[in-house]
Amino acid sequence: MAKPTTRATFKDYCLRRLGHPVIQINVDDDQVEDRIDDALQFFEDYHFDGCEQMYLKHQITQADIDRRWIYCPDPVIFVTGIIPFDQSSSSVNMFDLRYQLRLHDLYDFTSVSYVSYEITMQHIRTLNLLFSGTPLFRFNRKQNRIFLDIDWSRDLQVGQYVVVECYRAMRPDTVTLTGTLTGTTTSNTITGTGTIFDQEVIENDIITLSSGQEVQIRTINSPTSITIASSLTTNITANTATKAGVTDVWNDKFLKNYATAKIKYQWGTNLSKFAGIQMPGGVTLDGPRIMQEAQIELDKLEEEMYTISSMPSEIFVG
């Protein structure tokens, strides 16, 4: 029990730290759940262990060009960059300058210095940055949309890929996907009924079907269709699916301390209405003092987080 791995054991841990069951904690169960959610949200938004860096590829469709934005899955909380999609990032052919440099100057690394090659490549990158630049974008996690400030009719074509550098939240709860899934062993495509795949999972996530099969998502084709990495072992019909959370998050030291302090503050808030009332046996309720102690703990934890455990700097400076 000292190492919580689920929401239930995490909640029990926080209440025990406050004195339960020796002391009655005057907080409703729904209030405890709300304070845990608040702590998780703060942890995901500001703590470096609350998210992970990743790269998402998106194949441009005609619908993207017409509406001039691309969809970003809900688990993504920050977008820090769009990898350039000009011709310099495509595959190298024999007429490319880099190919010619490698062919004539770097045919043998044992006898030719690569210093001049590296300097030349830096010069080429500087020219690309000067003339092509990096794609400007705007992103708001509440909209789940990435707006690219480009000429959509000129700079992108249907079928091209855009690579998004981003951070996703490390959510510890197991998520049950909406709707049901249907698929066969002869196809790597799974279709859904009433599903919204692109709001609940990301490419390469592993989901568990109600039939017991685990499948890895290769591509999210649409909100109702996904392509999996390998074929199903048995046909599925109207299966439900879940995505396991990152259970180690529940044992994070900062999250345990912060959630406990949030519940303690709620406890003090509940008792503040009865401040100074003397109970049988001579015990006097002192809700404001509990609130004050909890606020001091919260302030200390938040200051520690901002100075030591904050998000990577590129999230804030771009």
Side-chain angles (χ1 to χ4, degrees), residues 96-276:
D96 187 88
L97 176 59
R98 291 171 294 173
Y99 177 86
Q100 295 298 325
L101 285 171
R102 296 169 188 173
L103 178 64
H104 296 288
D105 297 336
L106 295 179
Y107 56 88
D108 186 359
F109 276 98
T110 61
S111 60
V112 178
S113 173
Y114 59 84
V115 174
S116 60
Y117 174 78
E118 177 61 25
I119 294 176
T120 303
M121 293 304 299
Q122 291 182 12
H123 181 63
I124 292 175
R125 285 192 292 267
T126 302
L127 291 176
N128 287 332
L129 183 63
L130 177 63
F131 292 107
S132 300
T134 57
L136 300 179
F137 67 94
R138 290 168 286 121
F139 171 72
N140 187 301
R141 61 186 295 189
K142 305 302 181 184
Q143 294 180 306
N144 300 114
R145 300 175 181 178
I146 301 176
F147 296 92
L148 301 179
D149 297 325
I150 60 174
D151 186 339
W152 282 84
S153 59
R154 182 196 64 188
D155 297 336
L156 284 177
Q157 297 179 355
V158 175
Q160 287 184 324
Y161 281 91
V162 172
V163 180
V164 180
E165 181 182 11
C166 59
Y167 286 81
R168 70 176 298 179
M170 299 290 287
R171 295 176 178 170
D173 283 317
T174 296
V175 177
T176 300
L177 277 63
T178 58
T180 57
L181 309 179
T182 302
T184 64
T185 57
T186 59
S187 174
N188 284 35
T189 301
I190 295 180
T191 56
T193 302
T195 55
I196 313 178
F197 289 127
D198 52 355
Q199 288 188 1
E200 298 173 325
V201 292
I202 289 179
E203 293 176 1
N204 297 324
D205 279 350
I206 297 176
I207 59 176
T208 303
L209 307 177
S210 54
S211 62
Q213 301 180 72
E214 286 190 349
V215 297
Q216 183 179 24
I217 299 175
R218 179 67 69 195
T219 306
I220 299 177
N221 307 317
S222 71
T224 58
S225 174
I226 59 174
T227 300
I228 58 177
S230 57
S231 301
L232 294 168
T233 56
T234 58
N235 295 337
I236 60 172
T237 303
N239 268 219
T240 57
T242 58
K243 177 188 174 297
V246 186
T247 57
D248 282 348
V249 171
W250 292 122
N251 195 46
D252 184 85
K253 181 180 179 180
F254 175 87
L255 182 61
K256 290 190 293 185
N257 292 336
Y258 195 76
T260 301
K262 295 289 284 186
I263 297 171
K264 184 177 181 178
Y265 189 88
Q266 182 68 62
W267 182 19
T269 302
N270 293 346
L271 293 180
S272 62
K273 296 182 179 179
F274 308 101

Side-chain angles (χ1 to χ4, degrees), residues 12-33:
D12 292 341
Y13 172 85
C14 295
L15 293 176
R16 287 198 308 273
R17 285 190 60 177
L18 294 175
H20 181 79
V22 178
I23 300 175
Q24 181 178 355
I25 310 300
N26 304 100
V27 182
D28 183 73
D29 189 67
D30 289 339
Q31 291 179 321
V32 175
E33 294 287 346

